[in-house]
Amino acid sequence: MPEPTMVAGTGTVVAADYFQSYSVVGLLTVVGVLFVAVAFGAGRLLRPVVPTPEKLLTYECGVDPVGEGWAHTQVRYYVYAFLYVIFAVDSIFLFPWATVFAAPGYGATTLVEMFIFLGFLAVGLLYAYKKGVLTWT
């Protein structure tokens, strides 16, 4: 098999361009890390440090800590959070779909795919409604 021919100096130019693009990313990463480090360092140097016993107590929602750390939590709050996540994912998929839908040649296919996706979400919402999850008690 013959070896590929290379124009003199072309390989070094391609390699230099390749590594230059990564050097820009590396430089931005270093600048970002330095920015965060300087911000945290300035905050540590400029803040007042006056530890008192009240400041060292565990504090949660204005209630003094009494008893054990275990508390009963209603499950419905997690269900509401889960339903929010479902609709947030729905919105994440709707925006790219809208851009692809406008492209020529993708209209009918993406329309069918989106109705299938929205159908799955509607079934999930109907299930949550039938279980009584959406009623606030």
Side-chain angles (χ1 to χ4, degrees):
M1 184 155 147
E3 290 188 28
T5 58
M6 188 182 327
V7 178
T10 307
T12 57
V13 171
V14 171
D17 288 342
Y18 179 77
F19 287 119
Q20 181 190 13
S21 62
Y22 276 112
S23 65
V24 170
V25 172
L27 180 66
L28 284 174
T29 303
V30 168
V31 168
V33 168
L34 284 175
F35 182 76
V36 171
V38 167
F40 275 114
R44 181 173 280 255
L45 290 174
L46 297 175
R47 71 177 180 219
V49 180
V50 185
T52 61
E54 289 83 16
K55 287 184 181 179
L56 299 176
L57 281 176
T58 304
Y59 180 79
E60 183 70 33
C61 299
V63 180
D64 289 332
V66 177
E68 296 181 19
W70 292 97
H72 293 285
T73 305
Q74 300 238 354
V75 175
R76 68 174 174 225
Y77 298 122
Y78 295 110
V79 174
Y80 289 127
F82 184 66
L83 287 173
Y84 171 75
V85 168
I86 288 173
F87 289 109
V89 168
D90 178 31
S91 66
I92 288 171
F93 282 112
L94 281 175
F95 288 116
W97 171 78
T99 59
V100 171
F101 182 70
Y106 290 104
T109 305
T110 55
L111 185 65
V112 169
E113 289 175 353
M114 187 48 63
F115 276 118
I116 291 171
F117 178 70
L118 291 174
F120 282 125
L121 287 177
V123 168
L125 185 61
L126 183 64
Y127 176 77
Y129 178 75
K130 291 283 185 180
K131 287 290 189 177
V133 171
L134 301 177
T135 58
W136 188 268
T137 57

